[in-house]
Amino acid sequence: MNDYTDRLAAPKDQITPPKVEGPYFEDVQVGFELTLKKPPITRLQIAKFAGASGDFNPRHVDEDIARDVGKMGGVFAHGMIGMGFIGQMLTDWLWDRPLRMFSTRALLIVRPDDAITCFGKVTRKWVEDEDNLIELEVGARNQKGELTHSGKVIALLPHRPVRIRDELKLPYLVQHRVIG
């Protein structure tokens, strides 16, 4: 995996060129949407996620146990795998911009061969103290359109640098507060 496009695991004709930095506060508007379509989940991917997460519950990797003992109808992916996919979508867009909050909830079991599409929408944009913040509603749906994960993200974005007399300066944020 030496290529950016290999990590995205998306069809080659749907890949945008890599960014070298995330968005600036001035460039993001409420209503902006982003998506990431993942290929169908494989049993190998579930087993690798078990190793990465340390969750070796046999219901995730052993078909007989998941079907007969666990009464789950067969193996299924870890709930956090959807959060990982949503996190990939966010880092592909935000790049190195910090997150103040990232919270998701698994709503529906994801099974092998389910194709997950992650989505996000900017729902709020504001300045708090000296921080430029955006809030996104995020989630994931399976190939049937069923909501598998939902959540919320708050990201911190910088102002766009300003050139003044061939020098790069960061803008100062001036706020007026009423005391009394």
Side-chain angles (χ1 to χ4, degrees), residues 91-165:
T91 55
D92 287 347
W93 178 56
L94 293 170
W95 202 251
D96 63 348
R97 306 298 192 225
L99 298 181
R100 183 173 277 184
M101 194 248 316
F102 181 18
S103 174
T104 64
R105 181 176 178 202
L107 304 172
L108 189 67
I109 289 177
V110 175
R111 300 206 179 268
D113 298 322
D114 280 353
I116 301 299
T117 300
C118 302
F119 60 89
K121 183 175 184 177
V122 176
T123 57
R124 186 173 166 212
K125 178 179 172 178
W126 75 103
V127 176
E128 182 178 295
D129 295 324
E130 295 183 7
D131 293 337
N132 305 316
L133 302 169
I134 59 168
E135 180 178 281
L136 296 100
E137 293 296 326
V138 295
R141 295 187 184 280
N142 62 19
Q143 70 278 6
K144 298 174 190 171
E146 300 167 321
L147 190 63
T148 61
H149 296 78
S150 69
K152 186 188 329 185
V153 173
I154 297 177
L156 181 67
L157 302 181
H159 279 293
R160 179 172 288 291
V162 179
R163 283 205 179 271
I164 302 174
R165 295 189 195 135

Side-chain angles (χ1 to χ4, degrees), residues 34-87:
L34 59 153
T35 61
L36 174 66
K37 185 174 182 177
K38 299 294 292 180
I41 292 175
T42 65
R43 291 175 188 273
L44 177 60
Q45 188 176 22
I46 293 171
K48 285 182 176 182
F49 193 86
S53 67
D55 180 356
F56 292 100
N57 187 319
R59 294 181 298 173
H60 294 300
V61 292
D62 188 310
E63 186 69 40
D64 294 332
I65 289 176
R67 184 184 58 247
D68 301 334
V69 178
K71 307 289 185 216
M72 298 303 296
V75 298
F76 56 95
H78 301 74
M80 293 304 292
I81 203 166
M83 185 178 195
F85 293 159
I86 293 168

Side-chain angles (χ1 to χ4, degrees), residues 129 173-179:
D129 295 324
L173 179 62
V174 178
Q175 292 183 339
H176 299 280
R177 299 178 191 228
V178 178
I179 301 173

